């Protein structure tokens, strides 16, 4: 019953938000309200409206833009407050609240039909280096999910200075773990990091906030195919066939602690000290690569995915201990 009430609440809130914007289905109709004005006059979004005013983002979202806003309704914000021990929006520290809200804003106007799976930038900045945080968008069968948690439930609410998409949950400020568990391309890495017999809790470690427990981190993340290839290389059938000491040593070779190394920081013959041992970085016209102690080379295929506690780079080969 409660589940049905929640679904009805989300639908009603989305309908009211939808109805408050002129031209949601016709690009030729004139727009009359800014993004903030649309939110502030929409039933079910009073908490978001207040939060935007508290952080002075109401001024930003009343400006020229264009912006794309992912708008959580009252239920989503109430759930966030409850889960984090706050009794009201007023209790949330302003700096934290502003960062959280900026993580729901993208520069430019992104139509629902134009969402594709991949990494994009929000208007929030990483605590590590003040660079824009990455946002993982997963678009499957015209369903769009953000950082693995929030889903767009109503799209294309147009305003004079951009567009609004209603979401059913708060989009989390990303850690390394956020991207590993939300991106299907890293499914095998997630399985490896969470194997029950590991003596190290990598999920806890890589969830640490910047400045705590050896954060920031640099993570070299092997893709699913990289794991398939390494199992073939080792003549094994399944991930579980790798013994725990070897798996731990392997995973350690993919993590740098107390450092956030961007692709622009990599140079030829640069030595990188991971938790497991040293790697050598090299740079060519085709991009950067990493060579392990076994003279095996992994190419960085997707660089500079920015979390709030470090940076991640996709690689096409699992780095093995030596």
């Amino acid at each position: 019953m409660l589940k049905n009430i929640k679904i009805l609440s989300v639908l009603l809130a989305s309908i009211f938000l939808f109805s408050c914007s002129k031209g949601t289905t016709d690009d030729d109709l004139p727009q009359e309200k800014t993004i903030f004005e649309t939110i502030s006059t929409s039933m079910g979004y009073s908490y978001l409206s207040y939060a935007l005013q508290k952080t002075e983002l109401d001024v930003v979202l009343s400006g020229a833009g264009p912006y794309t806003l992912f708008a959580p309704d009252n239920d989503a914000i109430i759930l966030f407050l409850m889960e984090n021990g706050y009794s009201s929006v007023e209790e949330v520290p302003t700096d934290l609240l502003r960062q959280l809200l900026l993580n729901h804003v993208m520069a430019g106007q992104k139509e629902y039909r134009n969402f594709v799976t991949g990494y994009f930038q929000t208007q929030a900045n990483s605590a590590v280096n003040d660079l824009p945080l990455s946002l993982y968008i997963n678009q499957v069968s015209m369903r769009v999910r953000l950082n693995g948690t929030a889903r767009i439930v109503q799209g294309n609410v147009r305003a004079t200075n951009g567009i609004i998409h209603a979401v059913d949950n708060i989009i989390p400020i990303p850690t390394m773990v956020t991207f590993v568990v939300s991106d299907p391309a890293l499914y095998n890495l997630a399985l490896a990091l969470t194997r029950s017999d590991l003596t190290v809790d990598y999920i806890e470690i890589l969830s640490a906030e910047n400045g705590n427990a050896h954060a920031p981190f640099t993570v070299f993340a092997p893709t699913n195919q990289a794991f398939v290839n390494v199992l073939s290389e080792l003549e094994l059938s399944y991930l579980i066939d790798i013994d725990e000491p070897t798996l731990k040593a392997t995973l350690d070779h993919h993590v740098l602690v107390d450092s956030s190394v961007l692709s622009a920081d990599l140079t030829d013959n640069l030595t990188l000290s991971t938790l497991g041992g040293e790697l050598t970085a090299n740079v060519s016209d085709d991009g950067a690569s990493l060579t392990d102690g076994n003279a095996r080379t992994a190419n960085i295929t997707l660089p500079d995915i920015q979390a709030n506690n470090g940076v991640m780079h996709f690689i096409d080969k699992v780095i093995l201990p030596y």
Side-chain angles (χ1 to χ4, degrees):
M1 180 61 134
L2 289 176
K3 182 179 180 181
N4 291 336
I5 292 174
K6 169 65 175 176
I7 293 173
L8 180 60
S9 174
V10 170
L11 288 174
L12 288 175
S14 299
I15 289 171
F16 280 113
L17 178 60
F18 184 92
S19 66
C20 286
S21 175
K22 298 288 186 180
T24 53
T25 58
D26 189 340
D27 291 336
D28 295 330
L29 292 178
Q31 312 305 315
E32 297 178 353
K33 297 178 181 178
T34 65
I35 290 175
F36 175 70
E37 288 171 336
T38 302
I39 293 297
S40 64
T41 55
S42 297
M43 184 176 294
Y45 291 83
S46 56
Y47 285 176
L48 177 58
S49 176
Y50 175 73
L52 291 171
Q53 293 175 76
K54 179 184 177 183
T55 56
E56 299 183 352
L57 291 177
D58 58 325
V59 177
V60 174
L61 294 178
S62 297
Y67 300 104
T68 296
L69 172 67
F70 302 107
D73 64 9
N74 287 347
D75 286 341
I77 294 179
I78 289 171
L79 180 61
F80 165 80
L81 295 174
M82 292 175 58
E83 290 179 342
N84 290 275
Y86 300 113
S87 60
S88 68
V89 174
E90 187 62 37
E91 291 186 2
V92 184
T94 302
D95 289 345
L96 171 61
L97 184 60
R98 182 180 176 87
Q99 175 81 336
L100 186 67
L101 293 174
L102 285 171
N103 199 48
H104 290 70
V105 181
M106 294 173 60
Q109 182 165 309
K110 193 78 169 178
E111 298 279 339
Y112 189 86
R113 66 177 178 270
N114 293 331
F115 282 113
V116 294
T117 296
Y119 289 88
F120 301 85
Q121 292 182 340
T122 73
Q123 293 296 287
N125 291 331
S126 172
V128 174
N129 49 24
D130 210 33
L131 293 176
L133 286 175
S134 296
L135 173 70
Y136 176 65
I137 295 179
N138 190 17
Q139 192 275 113
V140 179
S141 300
M142 292 305 295
R143 290 195 172 193
V144 177
R145 193 170 292 276
L146 313 165
N147 279 355
T149 299
R151 185 170 68 86
I152 296 178
V153 293
Q154 177 63 57
N156 293 352
V157 180
R158 295 183 176 87
T160 59
N161 61 343
I163 197 164
I164 304 167
H165 305 290
V167 294
D168 63 355
N169 214 328
I170 293 292
I171 303 170
I173 294 175
T175 66
M176 294 294 181
V177 174
T178 303
F179 297 136
V180 171
V181 301
S182 63
D183 188 343
L186 299 178
Y187 177 76
N188 286 336
L189 176 60
L191 285 180
L193 291 170
T194 57
R195 216 175 74 175
S196 60
D197 62 332
L198 282 171
T199 57
V200 173
D201 189 341
Y202 288 102
I203 297 301
E204 180 179 357
I205 291 172
L206 296 176
S207 296
E209 294 184 3
N210 186 56
N212 297 316
H214 298 296
F217 306 101
T218 303
V219 172
F220 300 111
T223 61
N224 290 338
Q225 189 60 48
F227 274 96
V228 171
N229 293 343
V230 80
L231 288 175
S232 176
E233 182 181 345
L234 298 173
E235 298 182 347
L236 300 173
S237 298
Y238 304 103
L239 186 65
I240 195 64
D241 294 331
I242 303 176
D243 63 82
E244 192 277 339
T246 301
L247 179 60
K248 178 184 178 301
T250 299
L251 293 173
D252 283 349
H253 275 77
H254 293 78
V255 180
L256 280 66
V257 299
D258 299 312
S259 65
S260 178
V261 180
L262 297 168
S263 60
D265 300 324
L266 299 176
T267 58
D268 273 341
N269 296 314
L270 175 67
T271 298
L272 300 172
S273 297
T274 71
L275 284 173
E278 292 185 345
L279 305 175
T280 301
N282 284 287
V283 179
S284 70
D285 292 339
D286 296 327
S289 63
L290 307 168
T291 302
D292 63 22
N294 305 292
R296 299 166 65 261
T297 298
N299 298 303
I300 294 179
T301 57
L302 182 60
D304 301 333
I305 299 170
Q306 188 66 58
N308 205 41
N309 64 345
V311 65
M312 178 181 293
H313 309 280
F314 279 30
I315 55 176
D316 64 359
K317 186 174 289 187
V318 174
I319 299 164
L320 293 176
Y322 53 92

